[in-house]
Amino acid sequence: MHLPAHVWQSSIVGKAPSPWELFKSNPSIYLASKLYNHLSQQLSRRSVSPVRTICISDTHNTDVSALIPPGDILIHAGDLTHSGTPRELQATFDWLVSLPHEHKIVIAGNHDTYLQMDEGRLWARS
């Protein structure tokens, strides 16, 4: 994993980078490695069976539960809502929680504007 200067410099002086520094340097790789480590520990404790990953996207506040197959991990890859309001997001999060998948990963899409940083929200409203 490529680390920014401030992260690898801290490891050179004998201080290991904090989890926050690792996350900030590359959130995708950090989360993927944590998920991999967590799942590999779980698999070693039970009989080895495949992990079934289900990926959905662009649900735009639509309950598509009947179309989602069972699985271990559900990834929602963006556009949970139409306009990204807190009310829409809460309704979608409530729906996602109701699904039977043990692990859920949610990635905000361009319609999920409330989840953007403050600068992004100002841009989205103008």
Side-chain angles (χ1 to χ4, degrees):
M1 164 169 54
H2 176 70
L3 300 175
H6 73 280
V7 175
W8 61 262
Q9 285 171 349
S10 69
S11 62
I12 289 175
V13 295
K15 179 181 147 197
S18 70
W20 175 242
E21 289 172 319
L22 291 171
F23 176 79
K24 285 190 322 185
S25 69
N26 194 327
S28 299
I29 290 180
Y30 178 81
L31 291 173
S33 68
K34 287 293 184 186
L35 181 61
Y36 175 81
N37 289 337
H38 177 73
L39 290 176
S40 63
Q41 288 173 0
Q42 281 189 339
L43 285 176
S44 65
R45 282 186 256 153
R46 58 183 165 161
S47 63
V48 178
S49 62
V51 175
R52 187 158 185 200
T53 303
I54 308 300
C55 187
I56 61 173
S57 69
D58 299 283
T59 54
H60 300 283
N61 295 103
T62 305
D63 183 343
V64 292
S65 301
L67 303 174
I68 301 174
D72 302 302
I73 302 170
L74 175 69
I75 300 171
H76 193 300
D79 288 352
L80 300 115
T81 67
H82 284 289
S83 54
T85 65
R87 177 174 282 154
E88 284 182 334
L89 286 165
Q90 188 61 58
T92 302
F93 292 149
D94 291 344
W95 168 67
L96 286 168
V97 167
S98 76
L99 297 174
H101 306 80
E102 185 176 354
H103 303 283
K104 297 170 181 92
I105 300 169
V106 177
I107 302 163
N110 64 316
H111 286 259
D112 309 318
T113 55
Y114 190 78
L115 299 176
Q116 295 176 355
M117 297 185 329
D118 289 338
E119 304 85 40
R121 277 194 236 159
L122 293 174
W123 172 81
R125 291 181 187 153
S126 59

